[in-house]
Every structure is written in structure tokens, then in C-alpha cells.
């Protein structure tokens, strides 16, 4: 509410000052029009400067958010392509690295992405965020079972479930491919 009042007062005062400046320019004698002309131009610059600064700040915030998301996706790619998730990984008890989503969370909480302009990207990131949460929870449960189960056969079954072609990790890789391809098409 306070922000709306301040914005209304600021733009109201600027609009009234602009009207008075233009009126002053029109009614002033021909030899004395420099001062009202400069006054009107200064007010016009102030009004357009406010909008230009806001637009530039939003654009910069969006670019930083997308850059951070690109880096985070690359980091997650390294994790998924790493030895712990590779097809040649030998079965055994181990701790798996987790996927990260802090840049995506930060982009959502900061409002850096525009629901109108970035609707498709926001949808992709929501799906990605959900997938990361699911993967990390499943890895936690898998590790718990691996370290609490005494059976080597069960550990091997869990390993196969993680590394098979139809595993949830493969689905996450496909979603990561899709998200990175979309981010790659955005202008830098």
C-alpha cells in the first residue's frame, strides 16, 4: 500500500509539474521561452528516466537469474554424468551427490522471471524443481536402504533400479536436456 501511494504521489506531482511547464512555455513571451523549455525537458527526462531505470533493472535481474540457472544446470549435468550415476558404476554401498536447485528457487522468489514473457521457461523450471526434489528424496531413501540392508543382492537391485534405462534418473536427464536446450535458445 505504501509503495502504491508513493508511486501515485511521485507520478502525480511530475504530471502536474509537466502540465505547468508546458503551459508556462506556451504563455511565456517569445524571448523568454528558454527557461520553461528547459524545465519541461528536465521533467520529461525525469519521467522517462524512472521507467527506463525500472526496465533496465528488471532486464538485468532476469539476465542474472537466467545466467545463474544456466550454471546450475551445467553443474547438475556434471553430477548426472559423473561416476556415481554412470552405467559402468559397480554396485555397492555409497553416498550419491545431490542435484541442486538454489538458482531456480532464487529466480522464483525474486520475481526475476516474468509470467507473461517467460511462461514456458517457468513451466520447465517448475517441472525441473519437482524432479530434483524427487531425485534427492529417492537418493536419500536408497542410501538408507543400502546402508541398513545387510543383503548384497538388495543393494544390487537398488543399483539396477537407479541405473536402468527406464529409471527415474533417465527421466531427469531428459528433462535436463530439454531445459538446457530451452535456455540455450534464449539470447545472451
Amino acid at each position: 500500500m505504501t509503495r502504491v501511494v508513493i508511486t501515485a504521489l511521485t507520478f502525480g506531482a511530475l504530471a502536474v509539474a509537466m502540465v505547468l511547464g508546458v503551459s508556462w512555455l506556451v504563455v511565456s513571451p517569445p524571448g523568454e521561452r528558454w527557461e520553461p523549455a528547459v524545465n519541461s525537458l528536465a521533467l520529461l527526462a525525469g519521467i522517462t528516466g524512472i521507467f527506463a531505470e525500472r526496465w533496465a533493472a528488471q532486464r538485468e535481474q532476469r539476465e542474472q537469474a537466467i545466467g545463474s540457472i544456466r550454471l546450475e544446470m551445467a553443474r547438475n549435468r556434471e553430477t548426472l554424468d559423473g561416476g556415481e550415476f554412470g552405467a559402468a558404476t559397480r554396485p555397492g554401498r555409497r553416498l550419491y551427490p545431490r542435484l541442486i536447485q538454489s538458482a531456480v528457487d532464487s529466480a522464483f522468489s525474486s520475481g526475476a522471471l516474468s509470467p507473461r514473457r517467460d511462461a514456458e521457461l517457468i513451466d520447465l523450471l517448475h517441472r525441473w524443481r519437482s524432479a530434483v526434489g524427487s531425485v534427492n528424496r529417492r537418493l536419500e531413501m536408497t542410501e538408507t536402504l543400502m546402508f541398513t540392508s545387510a543383503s548384497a543382492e538388495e543393494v544390487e537391485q537398488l543399483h539396477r533400479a537407479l541405473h536402468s534405462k527406464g529409471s527415474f534418473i533417465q527421466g531427469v536427464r531428459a528433462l535436463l536436456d530439454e531445459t538446457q536446450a530451452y535456455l540455450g535458445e534464449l539470447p545472451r
Side-chain angles (χ1 to χ4, degrees), residues 18-28 40:
M18 187 69 184
V19 168
L20 291 175
V22 170
S23 299
W24 184 18
L25 179 67
V26 170
V27 298
S28 63
S40 297

Side-chain angles (χ1 to χ4, degrees), residues 160-175:
R160 271 185 281 158
L162 271 178
H163 297 87
S164 66
K165 287 193 176 191
S167 72
F168 64 91
I169 294 289
Q170 298 304 323
V172 170
R173 280 190 175 114
L175 183 57

